[in-house]
Amino acid sequence: MARAQETAVYTHGHHESVLRSHTWRTAANSAAYLLGSLTPAQRVLDVGCGPGTITADLAALVPEGRVTGVDHAPDILDQARATAAGRGLDNVDFGVADVHALDFPDGTFDVVHAHQVLQHVGDPVQALREMRRVTRPGGIVAVRDSDYAAMTWFPASAGLDGWLELYRRVARANGGEPDAGRRLKSWALEAGFTDVRATSSTWTFSTAEERAWWSGLWADRTVASAYAARATEGGHATEAQLRVVSEAWREWGRREDGWFAVLHGEVLCVKDGA
């Protein structure tokens, strides 16, 4: 029987404005819910590792173990390898993989981690089943995803309202689910987990530096990334409309009273002994 394969298109691509965000991510700001479950000698799989900043942090936290980072996009893995090499880590390796059909034997890993992955895949339940399969009995699958509909900001902005509606429409047209955070527990149960701890956490951007960084990367992403191309090519927005959204981001970033919160859903799933 043929194995399931990825059918969704990654909405963001790997434009510099996207990597500006991805390379900012650390285990501390993006996987804190998992860190208390790590022990020094574990074998860890980091799914959708991107440029490898979280992967490298995980490798440093399991110095007697090993971390494997995998991504569907082979080009980004050179940056991930450079990240690990720059930190002098020798217990980490990288490869290309499709989370719907992982090329690892059953029970290979103690921990399987995925950050901001399931919102972009065609079949998140199948992805979780594969993550569960390659986890040893008693091991952990840890998943964290943002929830776009739950993002909130101040002051009110018609331009950012338009951005949110547009982004959700483009992401769904690409086969993903931008409001994944609220669905993680349901997907995990459907995938066969019975021991699921569901939590949430946020990124918050409110200082002048944070506002400039967050608004700037989204302003640039809106007009220059693969997301921008997919918005126009899919008939979701014109280039002129994208420029209006981009400027709305910059205007929000200049507001001294600006505040933006990104809600994430998280699940820690323990694989039973079956």
Side-chain angles (χ1 to χ4, degrees):
M1 184 169 123
R3 301 181 79 186
Q5 297 291 322
E6 176 61 271
T7 57
V9 175
Y10 180 48
T11 296
H12 298 280
H14 291 101
H15 184 264
E16 181 277 331
S17 60
V18 178
L19 294 180
R20 209 181 306 165
S21 171
H22 289 186
T23 56
W24 166 83
R25 298 172 184 174
T26 65
N29 68 29
S30 299
Y33 72 107
L34 167 63
L35 301 188
S37 300
L38 297 179
T39 58
Q42 286 173 324
R43 178 79 190 270
V44 180
L45 177 65
D46 188 22
V47 176
C49 65
T53 51
I54 297 175
T55 319
D57 283 352
L58 295 175
L61 291 167
V62 293
E64 300 165 29
R66 188 158 193 86
V67 177
T68 297
V70 296
D71 202 280
H72 197 244
D75 292 348
I76 197 62
L77 294 177
D78 286 341
Q79 187 168 343
R81 294 184 181 101
T83 299
R87 293 181 55 176
L89 297 165
D90 60 5
N91 64 332
V92 59
D93 57 87
F94 297 94
V96 178
D98 177 354
V99 69
H100 297 88
L102 294 168
D103 193 21
F104 300 104
D106 295 359
T108 300
F109 299 97
D110 301 296
V111 176
V112 178
H113 166 264
H115 183 264
Q116 307 281 43
V117 172
L118 295 190
Q119 64 184 281
H120 298 296
V121 306
D123 189 343
V125 174
Q126 171 60 18
L128 281 162
R129 289 188 182 117
E130 273 294 274
M131 293 167 72
R132 182 178 185 272
R133 180 186 66 78
V134 302
T135 303
R136 67 165 177 80
I140 292 171
V141 171
V143 177
R144 184 177 192 253
D145 265 275
S146 56
D147 194 301
Y148 276 76
M151 292 184 188
T152 189
W153 57 85
F154 185 87
S157 166
L160 292 192
D161 289 342
W163 158 76
L164 182 57
E165 190 278 331
L166 173 64
Y167 178 83
R168 293 171 76 216
R169 189 165 71 247
V170 172
R172 289 192 172 121
N174 287 337
E177 176 45 69
D179 303 340
R182 70 189 65 191
R183 292 170 164 82
L184 295 182
K185 181 180 180 181
S186 174
W187 289 341
L189 293 171
E190 189 175 348
F193 290 100
T194 57
D195 186 349
V196 180
R197 179 189 174 196
T199 56
S200 64
S201 60
T202 61
W203 292 335
T204 303
F205 306 102
S206 65
T207 68
E209 181 181 21
E210 291 165 349
R211 293 194 315 273
W213 180 78
W214 184 243
S215 65
L217 69 85
W218 269 108
D220 292 343
R221 192 180 303 190
T222 298
V223 294
S225 69
Y227 159 63
R230 285 161 188 152
T232 55
E233 292 167 5
H236 304 289
T238 65
E239 290 184 3
Q241 288 169 327
L242 292 180
R243 288 194 293 272
V244 170
V245 172
S246 178
E247 180 51 36
W249 270 110
R250 295 194 188 281
E251 181 180 350
W252 173 83
R254 291 190 288 267
R255 290 290 301 253
E256 185 177 0
D257 58 350
W259 177 91
F260 199 107
V262 179
L263 178 72
H264 294 82
E266 306 158 341
V267 288
L268 279 179
C269 312
V270 179
K271 182 178 178 178
D272 59 33

